[in-house]
Amino acid sequence: SAHDKYLVRASYFEIYNEEIRDLLSPQKSAHGLELKESSDSGVYIKDLTSVVVKSVAEINSVLQKGKKNRSVGFTLMNAGSSRSHSIFSIVIECCSVDSDKNEHIRVGKLSLVDLAGSERQSKTGASGDRLKEATKINLSLSALGNCISALVDGKSNHV
């Protein structure tokens, strides 16, 4: 309705070598952020920067700021290869008042995920740090594949 109030927030992080990094405040996550769980809000990242945005242009600005802080590196296949998985999230909260003057809050979340591609050492020419990154990328993609398989097969009670 015309009296609804909205709050829109954006956050952006990457998972690099199994560490969570805040792309909107990289100095804050020098040692990696912590993944937490609460009964109220579910799974969340402690101390992750969340920016209030008021337009599509502001959302794009936040996205571009975070993109500049992504971990990238040279491989034989790609001069600017992403070396991490990243998640850009937009949370929309709506507060509405019913005819009895009771407030109701609804929350929606959209997460855009960019997964680093699997890598073959023979094709990328990876060595040293690049090889370590490739190993972590491949392990995490394999774990994700196992989770998806467990969810799809219907036999697992816990993933």
Side-chain angles (χ1 to χ4, degrees):
S1 80
H3 302 290
D4 289 353
K5 296 179 185 174
Y6 291 90
L7 175 66
V8 182
R9 295 175 284 126
S11 61
Y12 199 6
F13 69 92
E14 72 177 352
I15 302 170
Y16 172 75
N17 282 343
E18 298 183 350
E19 274 196 355
I20 301 169
R21 295 181 174 182
D22 188 337
L23 293 173
L24 301 178
S25 184
Q27 67 280 2
K28 185 163 82 174
S29 59
H31 302 291
L33 298 177
E34 293 180 69
L35 192 61
K36 298 282 192 176
E37 185 172 10
S38 81
S39 56
D40 294 338
S41 57
V43 177
Y44 67 98
I45 299 169
K46 184 179 177 191
D47 298 328
L48 181 65
T49 301
S50 182
V51 178
V52 174
V53 290
K54 296 179 180 152
S55 67
V56 172
E58 285 184 18
I59 291 172
N60 190 45
S61 176
V62 171
L63 181 63
Q64 295 309 315
K65 177 184 176 184
K67 187 176 172 185
K68 290 178 187 172
N69 295 319
R70 290 260 338 246
S71 297
V72 295
F74 175 84
T75 71
L76 294 179
M77 293 183 70
N78 186 348
S81 175
S82 63
R83 311 310 297 157
S84 66
H85 308 303
S86 69
I87 300 176
F88 181 76
S89 294
I90 300 169
V91 175
I92 302 171
E93 297 180 28
C94 175
C95 180
S96 55
V97 180
D98 64 20
S99 58
D100 295 327
K101 305 279 188 219
N102 296 313
E103 288 188 342
H104 301 278
I105 297 176
R106 292 174 289 158
V107 179
K109 183 175 185 179
L110 171 68
S111 294
L112 304 173
V113 180
D114 179 16
L115 297 174
S118 63
E119 302 207 349
R120 291 208 170 118
Q121 193 275 336
S122 60
K123 289 189 176 186
T124 62
S127 62
D129 285 344
R130 292 290 168 264
L131 184 57
K132 179 182 172 190
E133 292 166 347
T135 300
K136 298 288 187 183
I137 289 167
N138 290 342
L139 281 171
S140 63
L141 290 172
S142 178
L144 176 62
N146 292 341
C147 288
I148 292 169
S149 293
L151 290 169
V152 171
D153 75 12
K155 297 175 187 171
S156 302
N157 293 332
H158 181 72
V159 179

